[in-house]
Amino acid sequence: MKKLKFGDFLITIIDVKKLFCKTIILIAILIFIIGSLSAAASSGDISVNFDGTFLKFDQNPIIVNSRTMVPLRTVFEAYGAEVSWDEGTEIITSRLDDIEIILQIDNNEMFRNGKVIHLDAAPMIEGDRTLVPVRAISESFGSEVTWDDINRIVCIRNLPESNNVMNGTIISDEYRYENYDGQYNGVSIFNKNGIDYFGMELLGISKKSGEKYAEILNGMAEDLPDVRVFCGVVPTAAEFYAPFGFRTNYLSAISHIYNSLNSNVTPINIENAMMSNADKYIYFKTDHHWTHLGSYFAYREFCSVSDNMASELDEFEKRTINNYLGSWGKVTVDTDGYNMLDSSRDIIEFYMPKVEFEGQSYSEMEMDKPTKNMQLINPAFGNYAIFLEGDNPLEYYHTNVDNGKSICIIKESFGNAFSTWLLNNYENVYIVDYRIFNNNGENYNTFTVKEFYDMYNFDDLLVLSYPYTIQQEDLRQMLGQTWRSDYVEYSSYSNDKGSDDNDVPLPTLVPDVIDTGLE
């Protein structure tokens, strides 16, 4: 910039070339800053739903070239895949069953079983984490990947395995709620039209958890060669009612569990029974349980595979309890979620037994000393505890069915509503809550199904479970103790060291730069 004086005037001459260059540089800096802020804003709130489980990352996913990049370790561990790392070449190799994937940092070519796949975004190191394109990885493992633009969720769904019982089951989106209101103390709440609120439990079942669960049932069946053994896995409401991006994938998980069962265990397709009646009041909206009606449709499915005749609903006296705020009310108290659920209270519809019976509860499997007489359904409780009067270690009902048949059901609380229907088909019904035996639930008395059978010689055994009790290690341990009193979950898995379900043994050459994904 120069200054020239002409008489009384001082003229400033601008160096246009330098000014132009500075202006271009300033604009470029502004574009970079705005772009970076925009990318952070658009990528920081991305979630990844893997078969109903939202993956936890300690570094947020980012978008590169319109592709979502996520910490490597978390995704591969969700699949249960092995991972190795070559530090010299920065090559990542992952194996899952008969699939091998090879990637390299900053290389846009990925190999799947030797076939080259071009990547729009190459693996990269961001901070101290290795990021990979989640869609390319998941589709290489055979998963379906979709994008929920409204809620910014990457949805990864494993296709269900072929299974003779589950084949033909289709989960439609017809009854899904539209809007997500938030998560309140672990309860995800959705609404229709801003007035109809539904609290749901978003849970997944990993393959490893399902296999360990199946191992327990297989062991029970082997110990009881003269008993018909049945397995029923109950999906939660989210399978049918959660919005698109929040869907669970129990169809895939249950198919894998049932494929892991031996031929002497008969699986029950409760999933299809619930889907076929999803237009009815089969789940509470303020409680994590199914309704009595929902459990009835599962009972009908059980009857169809066990050569029992299901009683028709119009044969029962129907009663109702109004203004019911269920278990989610307690969980969400002092949050905005409570107010939403409080405005959408439930009705408890229940069907009184039509058979005559006598029932007692016991704290020990010998059934020497009853703790109280049972009503089976006791409306005085006013909540879900009307069924079986809540959770008890062992209940025994003798009915006037007079057919000489006996059944033992091993269950958690979902089995409370279901068990009431069994009295219509069996002369003797034994109901066992495995969570309240073997030093659990302040009950130090032992229970194993083989010892119990030796005492009471039941004809049928039914194990009924919902996803949380299959996925949680401590609850599987309790169930395993009803098979063998010395059961330790990791006894038959040489690679397991007692860590949680998301842990996969790491190869020796995996560097710190690859994310563990665990908290």
Side-chain angles (χ1 to χ4, degrees), residues 76 78-83 93-101 112-113 140-143 158-159 161 207-208 211 256:
F76 283 120
Y79 279 102
E82 297 178 358
V83 186
T93 303
S94 178
R95 295 180 181 85
L96 177 65
D97 299 328
D98 59 349
I99 298 173
E100 179 184 70
I101 295 175
R112 181 188 187 276
N113 290 347
S140 293
F141 282 143
S143 300
N158 286 311
L159 300 179
E161 303 169 5
K207 283 190 173 182
K208 181 188 285 187
E211 290 163 3
H256 183 69

Side-chain angles (χ1 to χ4, degrees), residues 161-339:
E161 303 169 5
S162 177
N163 176 269
N164 290 335
V165 173
M166 303 299 289
N167 287 347
T169 302
I170 298 175
I171 307 303
S172 79
D173 297 326
E174 182 178 358
Y175 305 104
R176 300 197 178 279
Y177 275 53
E178 303 159 356
N179 307 307
Y180 177 55
D181 293 289
Q183 189 176 82
Y184 303 90
N185 294 337
V187 181
S188 296
I189 299 181
F190 307 95
N191 78 75
K192 283 184 178 178
N193 304 318
I195 54 174
D196 180 8
Y197 294 95
F198 202 142
M200 301 184 202
E201 199 170 15
L202 304 181
L203 301 168
I205 305 175
S206 70
K207 283 190 173 182
K208 181 188 285 187
S209 296
E211 290 163 3
K212 293 175 180 176
Y213 173 77
E215 178 193 38
I216 295 170
L217 271 73
N218 289 337
M220 291 180 178
E222 290 173 8
D223 289 347
L224 302 171
D226 297 323
V227 176
R228 298 192 304 171
V229 179
F230 301 89
C231 172
V233 178
V234 183
T236 70
E239 183 83 336
F240 315 105
Y241 303 108
F244 179 83
F246 298 86
R247 295 173 299 168
T248 51
N249 190 12
Y250 297 131
L251 179 57
S252 177
I254 295 172
S255 295
H256 183 69
I257 290 172
Y258 287 176
N259 279 338
S260 302
L261 295 173
N262 293 339
S263 59
N264 52 358
V265 181
T266 302
I268 309 167
N269 190 350
I270 296 176
E271 177 106 354
N272 189 62
M274 303 309 284
M275 182 70 253
S276 300
N277 293 281
D279 60 329
K280 303 178 180 66
Y281 192 26
I282 58 175
Y283 289 95
F284 292 113
K285 298 179 180 180
T286 70
D287 194 299
H288 68 287
H289 295 105
W290 53 8
T291 63
H292 205 199
L293 180 63
S295 70
Y296 170 77
F297 293 120
Y299 155 74
R300 289 185 65 93
E301 190 65 23
F302 166 72
C303 288
S304 72
V305 300
S306 62
D307 299 321
N308 282 297
M309 181 69 69
S311 300
E312 297 298 326
L313 276 177
D314 59 11
E315 300 176 28
F316 299 90
E317 176 194 354
K318 179 181 175 181
R319 299 184 188 177
T320 59
I321 296 174
N322 296 315
N323 204 35
Y324 173 53
L325 182 62
S327 56
W328 293 146
K330 294 180 181 179
V331 175
T332 61
V333 69
D334 296 328
T335 72
D336 291 338
Y338 176 89
N339 297 327

Side-chain angles (χ1 to χ4, degrees), residues 126-146:
E126 180 77 11
D128 60 349
R129 294 291 179 261
T130 300
L131 306 184
V132 294
V134 66
R135 176 183 287 274
I137 298 297
S138 297
E139 289 182 343
S140 293
F141 282 143
S143 300
E144 173 189 85
V145 183
T146 53

